[in-house]
């Protein structure tokens, strides 16, 4: 049981690494203008997070909108 | 942010902070190992390193958990809070070194997968066989997720509320680590002093959170107030110091009512960076300045000055006989509002 769980996690992270590497070179600048001229150090630092959260970054990469914060005031703001 | 991302946005303060932090960590590791060896000359280098890095990580975790509420209660803690991120990443690295040495010492070299071995080597239900290592492993996974998402890129792309929710998992990691310590090292180190230290840490963490929570509760009075037509009387202008703010709750969240240069402007209290409390900051160089990491906003528009792109909601405001009246319906983030002039 534990073996299966660990296997699934390993597979998840493996897929994550395959997505994270192209993401830091191509996807990050699409989702965030601050990443267009991001340094190599920056690219390296975001690889682990991108590999861990790959379903989310894939969604952002494929989507259009830059996320906006959702707070009570932003929701209640007059249109 | 719209400036280009770097690995670390260094400044003189952060360099000094990190220098002190790592000098402290290395000194602690050296002293712990030297004292450990003097008390127990038979101890191996691995055992000493496992214990030194483990205790250093736990100590830092307590510091990290305490500094947030401490800074709310006493502003002198703000400089420590400023670079808490580096403290957190350092704590994760210490935990990782601790775990790697444990795996190499106790779990590697056998037929069993070393990670699987962490979970099955002590998997009983009695105190002596309780799976304390599994709890340590799960805590490290949480700390990894937090360290991996500590760059500002993640704040901007997860948004501060989502990022904060993810980072709230630190409390789960803390609970797992208490279990890890109580069922692990405290089973062999039975001196009551160790348990007492852990209890003091727990009391400090919970006590500070309860104290700062109670203090903030007063601010949230009226938090559930509906968004209504009409202005809400928040206070008299004399009740606010120059270049400072009063925080009140309107429309389900806090707002910061700033008094500066003979004017009053009202903005949402949550900084777009990590939702720091803008109303606890000051008006500096023409901008509202967040007390946590110094992000700035123009009071009339709620926008960060170029080239930055952060925006926060603004509120319509007027004065009647010195009383500050605020429209509780927020304007979209970054909307220009004429300040009330006195
Ligand atoms: S929360 Fe970081 S600058 Fe405001």
């Amino acid at each position: 049981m534990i073996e299966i769980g660990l296997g699934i996690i390993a597979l998840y992270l493996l897929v994550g690494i395959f997505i994270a590497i192209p993401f830091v070179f191509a996807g990050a600048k699409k989702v965030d203008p601050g990443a267009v001229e991001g340094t190599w150090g920056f690219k390296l630092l975001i690889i682990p997070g991108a590999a861990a959260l790959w379903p989310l970054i894939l969604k952002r990469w494929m989507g259009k909108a830059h996320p906006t914060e959702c707070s009570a005031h932003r929701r209640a703001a007059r249109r | 942010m719209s400036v280009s991302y770097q690995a670390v946005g260094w400044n003189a303060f952060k360099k000094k902070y990190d220098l002190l932090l790592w000098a402290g960590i290395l000194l602690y590791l050296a002293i712990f190992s030297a004292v450990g060896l003097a008390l127990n000359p038979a101890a191996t280098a691995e055992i000493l390193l496992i214990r030194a890095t483990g205790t250093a990580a736990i100590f830092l975790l307590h510091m990290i958990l305490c500094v947030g509420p401490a800074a709310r209660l006493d502003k002198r803690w703000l400089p420590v809070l400023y670079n808490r991120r580096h403290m957190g990443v350092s704590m994760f690295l210490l935990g990782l070194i601790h775990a790697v040495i444990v795996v190499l010492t106790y779990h590697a070299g056998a037929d069993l997968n070393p990670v699987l071995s962490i979970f099955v080597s002590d998997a009983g239900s009695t105190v002596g066989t309780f799976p304390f290592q599994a709890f340590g492993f799960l805590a490290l996974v949480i700390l990894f997720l937090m360290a991996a998402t500590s760059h500002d890129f993640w704040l901007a792309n997860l948004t501060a509320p989502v990022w904060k929710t993810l980072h709230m998992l630190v409390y789960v990691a803390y609970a797992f680590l208490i279990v890890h310590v109580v069922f692990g090292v405290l089973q062999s180190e039975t001196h009551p002093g160790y348990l007492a230290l852990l209890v003091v840490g727990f009391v400090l963490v919970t006590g500070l959170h309860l104290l700062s929570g109670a203090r903030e509760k007063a601010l949230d009075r009226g938090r559930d107030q509906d968004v209504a037509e009409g202005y809400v009387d928040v206070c008299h202008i004399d009740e606010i110091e120059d270049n400072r703010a009063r925080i009140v709750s309107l429309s389900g969240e806090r707002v910061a009512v700033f008094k500066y240069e003979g004017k009053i402007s009202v903005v949402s209290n949550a900084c777009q960076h990590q939702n720091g409390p803008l109303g606890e900051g000051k008006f500096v160089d023409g901008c509202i300045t967040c007390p946590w990491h110094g992000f700035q906003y123009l009071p009339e528009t709620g926008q960060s000055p170029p080239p930055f792109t952060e925006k926060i909601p603004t509120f319509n405001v007027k004065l009647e006989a010195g009383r500050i009246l605020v429209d509780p319906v927020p304007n979209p983030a970054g909307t220009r509002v004429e300040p009330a002039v006195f």
Side-chain angles (χ1 to χ4, degrees), chain B:
Chain B
M1 306 274 284
S2 82
V3 283
S4 296
Y5 290 121
Q6 301 165 5
V8 180
W10 288 113
N11 59 32
F13 181 80
K14 277 190 195 172
K15 284 183 185 163
K16 207 161 110 190
Y17 189 109
D18 282 10
L19 204 69
L20 273 174
L21 175 66
W22 274 94
I25 290 172
L26 293 176
L27 193 68
Y28 174 87
L29 296 180
I31 293 175
F32 187 98
S33 305
V35 173
L37 202 58
L39 294 178
N40 181 9
T44 61
E46 291 88 349
I47 299 271
L48 285 173
L49 264 176
I50 286 169
R51 296 204 169 178
T53 49
T55 51
I58 290 276
F59 183 71
L60 270 183
L61 179 59
H62 280 85
M63 289 269 294
I64 290 161
L65 292 175
C66 287
V67 73
R72 306 305 284 264
L73 294 166
D74 184 339
K75 291 199 178 342
R76 281 174 298 184
W77 286 96
L78 280 172
V80 186
L81 183 73
Y82 175 78
N83 206 19
R84 181 171 54 174
R85 172 183 293 180
H86 288 193
M87 218 195 286
V89 174
S90 303
M91 185 256 300
F92 164 70
L93 290 176
L94 285 166
L96 185 65
I97 296 170
H98 169 87
V100 167
I101 306 173
V102 166
V103 168
L104 291 177
T105 310
Y106 300 111
H107 299 285
D111 288 342
L112 199 59
N113 176 321
V115 179
L116 185 61
S117 170
I118 292 174
F119 283 86
V120 296
S121 59
D122 39 26
S125 54
T126 64
V127 169
T129 59
F130 191 80
F132 74 96
Q133 294 185 88
F135 278 87
F137 182 86
L138 293 175
L140 193 65
V141 170
I142 294 176
L143 298 179
F144 160 75
L145 268 180
M146 293 175 59
T149 55
S150 63
H151 196 278
D152 272 344
F153 171 83
W154 292 109
L155 268 157
N157 286 282
L158 294 177
T159 73
V162 176
W163 184 90
K164 279 187 89 129
T165 309
L166 178 70
H167 281 237
M168 283 290 170
L169 286 177
V170 70
Y171 294 101
V172 179
Y174 180 52
F176 284 179
L177 285 174
I178 299 247
V179 173
H180 178 68
V181 172
V182 169
F183 289 94
V185 72
L186 288 191
Q187 296 306 312
S188 53
E189 296 295 342
T190 48
H191 190 286
Y194 298 116
L195 183 62
L197 266 180
L198 200 66
V199 173
V200 167
F202 180 75
V203 170
L204 205 64
V205 169
T206 12
L208 280 170
H209 278 79
L210 288 175
L211 263 178
S212 77
R215 210 172 107 160
E216 303 223 336
K217 215 171 165 192
L219 295 175
D220 288 337
R221 253 183 257 127
R223 194 182 172 108
D224 298 328
Q225 189 176 6
D226 287 335
V227 175
E229 290 307 320
Y231 281 66
V232 175
D233 183 337
V234 294
C235 64
H236 192 275
I237 43 171
D238 291 345
E239 289 175 62
I240 309 178
E241 266 179 65
D242 270 338
N243 300 323
R244 292 283 189 164
R246 159 159 290 216
I247 300 172
V248 288
S249 205
L250 283 181
S251 301
E253 240 189 303
R254 294 172 190 162
V255 299
V257 183
F258 265 92
K259 176 175 163 184
Y260 61 99
E261 297 171 346
K263 298 179 221 168
I264 301 284
S265 284
V266 185
V267 295
S268 191
N269 190 50
C271 175
Q272 198 182 323
H273 181 222
Q274 286 182 19
N275 285 172
L278 290 173
E280 291 176 27
K282 291 185 200 163
F283 179 78
V284 182
D285 297 333
C287 287
I288 292 168
T289 305
C290 180
W292 282 8
H293 316 97
F295 275 37
Q296 293 194 301
Y297 301 88
L298 295 162
E300 299 89 351
T301 59
Q303 294 190 15
S304 292
F308 302 101
T309 52
E310 282 73 21
K311 287 179 194 164
I312 49 172
T314 54
F315 290 79
N316 298 343
V317 58
K318 61 185 181 184
L319 288 173
E320 269 174 23
R323 305 286 314 170
I324 301 169
L325 306 179
V326 181
D327 181 347
V329 184
N331 294 306
T335 305
R336 166 173 284 280
V337 168
E338 279 315 307
V341 181
F342 57 92

